């Protein structure tokens, strides 16, 4: 059989290209460190490698979430330690004010101002943010969840949490933005099929309800209005805080106090139409809502204000308690101020328990971080097994392909025919 020059050239060209391609692919594997560039080159390993990559991605996300949570809890612990020190200082200030010899016109005013300043400092601590989140703002990212209102004389009067008086509710969940903020750390998110809410035990909480941490409500509470002070024919507006909601109620006063109360009850029923809990005003002006507390605030924009009294015993919130102690000292009421001391001590003890709980959570975060670091290491080893190039073997192949490619080039003089261009100098 006769082998023509064209046949030799085609075979030579095909083999040269094949060797060049193999040499190039081998070099790519060495430089990239990957045993294949396309899934079609090794479908089985590629499928397993994609699964490992997915697991690595989720592991990285969980580790990032844990890092954010660690900063969050560390900052929260630092803030609570600062508050614990403040409470100790507040207790000492009240003790000094109640027990030392003093000039009521001077010394008590100084002590009261010191307590107000400490209350302001505690609010500033509880307004701290970290990792772009306000720590004690619940699900809200309002930069100032805690604020203080002042009376007409410029003295601190009430602590507000998201605009609601801290004494308004005994249940911290009644305040706005009281739901928890949860993040996934890979322990298995569980969602209630009926409510579509996440089980808090299946995720990590990265929020604190400030009303829960600092306390809320009062030991004894009574809201009432004096209907005899109302002007007949005038409209009055009240803001009623009940069961976590604020409702504005407007009614018309009458010359007869009983009729004014009846008008207010009618206005309340109209405003609370369709709601389960409806406040009611009795003949003495006491405002109640069954077992739920009712906190009444005058509307600051209303021209005619109702004479409403929110009478209560000691506040269950230690910032408000500090302000109330300052009020008592200004009025010379050492007995009330002295009663704040034991409650401040009790708040300090409860705060130490909360700090210990934070320490437990930080240990939980550290444990999971270590677990994911180990998992990431194992996954990367598995990824190397599936995707990484065997450098020793590949370098050997690359040298072999290079030698064959060079040898093939040297044989070209025996295969490629000479032309006139070979002789042109």
């Amino acid at each position: 059989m006769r082998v023509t020059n064209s046949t030799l050239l085609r075979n030579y060209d095909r083999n040269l290209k094949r060797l060049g391609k193999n040499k190039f692919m081998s070099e790519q594997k060495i430089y990239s460190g990957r045993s294949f560039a396309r899934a079609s080159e090794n479908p089985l390993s590629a499928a397993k490698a994609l699964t490992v990559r997915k697991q690595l991605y989720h592991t990285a996300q969980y580790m990032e979430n844990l890092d954010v949570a660690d900063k969050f809890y560390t900052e929260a612990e630092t803030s609570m330690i600062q508050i614990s020190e403040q409470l100790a200082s507040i207790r000492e200030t009240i003790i000094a004010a109640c027990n030392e010899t003093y000039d009521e016109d001077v010394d008590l005013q100084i002590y009261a101002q010191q307590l107000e300043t400490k209350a302001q400092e505690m609010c500033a601590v509880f307004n701290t943010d970290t990792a772009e989140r306000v720590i004690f703002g619940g699900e809200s990212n309002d930069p100032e969840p805690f604020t203080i209102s002042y009376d007409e004389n410029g003295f601190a009067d009430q602590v507000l949490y998201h605009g609601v008086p801290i004494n308004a509710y005994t249940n911290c969940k009644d305040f706005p933005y009281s739901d928890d903020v949860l993040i996934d750390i890979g322990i298995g998110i569980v969602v209630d099929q009926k409510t579509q809410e996440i089980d808090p035990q299946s995720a990590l909480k990265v929020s604190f309800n400030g009303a829960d941490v600092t306390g809320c409500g009062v030991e004894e509470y009574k809201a009432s209005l004096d209907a005899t002070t109302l002007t007949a024919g005038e409209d009055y507006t009240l803001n009623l805080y009940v069961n976590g909601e604020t409702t504005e109620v407007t009614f018309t006063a009458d010359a007869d106090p009983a009729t004014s109360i009846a008008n207010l009850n009618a206005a309340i029923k109209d405003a609370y139409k369709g709601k389960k809990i409806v406040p009611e005003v009795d003949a003495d002006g006491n405002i109640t809502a069954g077992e739920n507390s009712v906190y009444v605030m005058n509307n600051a924009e209303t021209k005619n204000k109702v004479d409403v009294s929110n009478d209560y015993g000691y506040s269950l919130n230690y910032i408000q308690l500090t302000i109330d102690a300052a009020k008592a000292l200004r009025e010379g009421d050492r007995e009330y101020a002295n009663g704040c001391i034991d409650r401040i001590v009790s708040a300090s003890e409860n705060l130490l328990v909360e700090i210990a709980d934070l320490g437990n959570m930080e240990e939980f975060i550290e444990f999971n971080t270590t677990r994911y670091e180990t998992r990431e290491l194992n996954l990367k080893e598995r990824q190397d097994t599936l995707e990484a190039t065997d450098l020793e073997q590949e370098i050997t192949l690359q040298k072999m392909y290079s030698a064959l490619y060079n040898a093939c080039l040297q044989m070209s003089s025996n295969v490629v025919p000479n032309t006139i261009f070979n002789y042109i100098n």
Side-chain angles (χ1 to χ4, degrees), residues 126-188:
F126 281 119
N127 289 337
T128 301
D129 65 89
T130 185
E132 299 183 353
R133 282 209 59 80
V134 177
I135 300 175
F136 300 98
E139 61 182 328
S140 169
N141 216 20
D142 184 343
E144 290 189 344
F146 283 92
T147 54
I148 296 177
S149 65
Y150 296 84
D151 61 21
E152 61 275 8
N153 296 318
F155 298 133
D157 182 39
Q158 288 184 318
V159 176
L160 308 177
Y161 183 62
H162 290 304
V164 179
I166 202 69
N167 287 337
Y169 307 119
T170 303
N171 185 357
C172 65
K173 290 293 185 181
D174 289 341
F175 287 87
Y177 311 112
S178 60
D179 290 338
D180 294 331
V181 177
L182 305 170
I183 60 173
D184 185 9
I185 58 169
I187 57 179

Side-chain angles (χ1 to χ4, degrees), residues 103-114:
D103 180 349
E104 291 188 5
D105 294 334
V106 179
D107 293 350
L108 286 186
Q109 298 298 321
I110 294 174
Y111 282 124
Q113 185 58 49
Q114 288 178 352

Side-chain angles (χ1 to χ4, degrees), residues 64-76 128-135 141 181 183 206:
E64 183 178 349
N65 289 347
L66 285 167
D67 182 58
V68 171
D70 183 54
K71 294 177 181 177
F72 184 87
Y73 278 92
T74 299
E75 190 66 37
T128 301
D129 65 89
T130 185
E132 299 183 353
R133 282 209 59 80
V134 177
I135 300 175
N141 216 20
V181 177
I183 60 173
V206 287

Side-chain angles (χ1 to χ4, degrees), residues 295-416:
Y295 197 91
V296 183
M297 285 288 291
N298 287 316
N299 190 333
E301 298 178 357
T302 303
K303 181 179 179 181
N304 296 317
K305 296 183 178 181
V306 185
D307 184 12
V308 177
S309 61
N310 291 291
D311 299 324
Y312 51 84
Y314 289 96
S315 176
L316 297 174
N317 177 275
Y318 45 77
I319 305 178
Q320 183 66 56
L321 199 62
T322 303
I323 291 175
D324 292 342
K327 288 181 186 178
L329 292 178
R330 281 200 175 91
E331 296 170 359
D333 189 354
R334 287 188 297 167
E335 183 179 354
Y336 184 92
N338 194 59
C340 295
I341 297 174
D342 291 338
R343 292 165 175 82
I344 292 292
V345 171
S346 178
S348 299
E349 294 173 351
N350 294 333
L351 191 60
L352 291 176
V353 174
E354 292 178 358
I355 292 173
D357 288 340
L358 285 177
N360 292 333
M361 291 304 301
E362 289 181 74
E363 287 185 6
F364 175 76
I365 292 171
E366 184 180 355
F367 167 79
N368 280 281
T369 300
T370 303
R371 180 168 66 91
Y372 281 121
E373 287 174 348
T374 303
R375 184 184 182 188
E376 184 180 43
L377 181 62
N378 293 336
L379 287 171
K380 286 183 176 180
E381 290 179 355
R382 175 63 174 161
Q383 185 181 36
D384 288 342
T385 301
L386 295 169
E387 297 187 58
T389 301
D390 185 340
L391 288 178
E392 294 180 357
Q393 179 182 355
E394 203 59 47
I395 289 174
T396 302
L397 287 174
Q398 193 273 337
K399 290 186 177 297
M400 181 185 71
Y401 289 138
S402 295
L404 290 173
Y405 185 76
N406 292 332
C408 189
L409 288 176
Q410 291 174 0
M411 292 179 61
S412 62
S413 60
N414 298 324
V415 177
V416 180

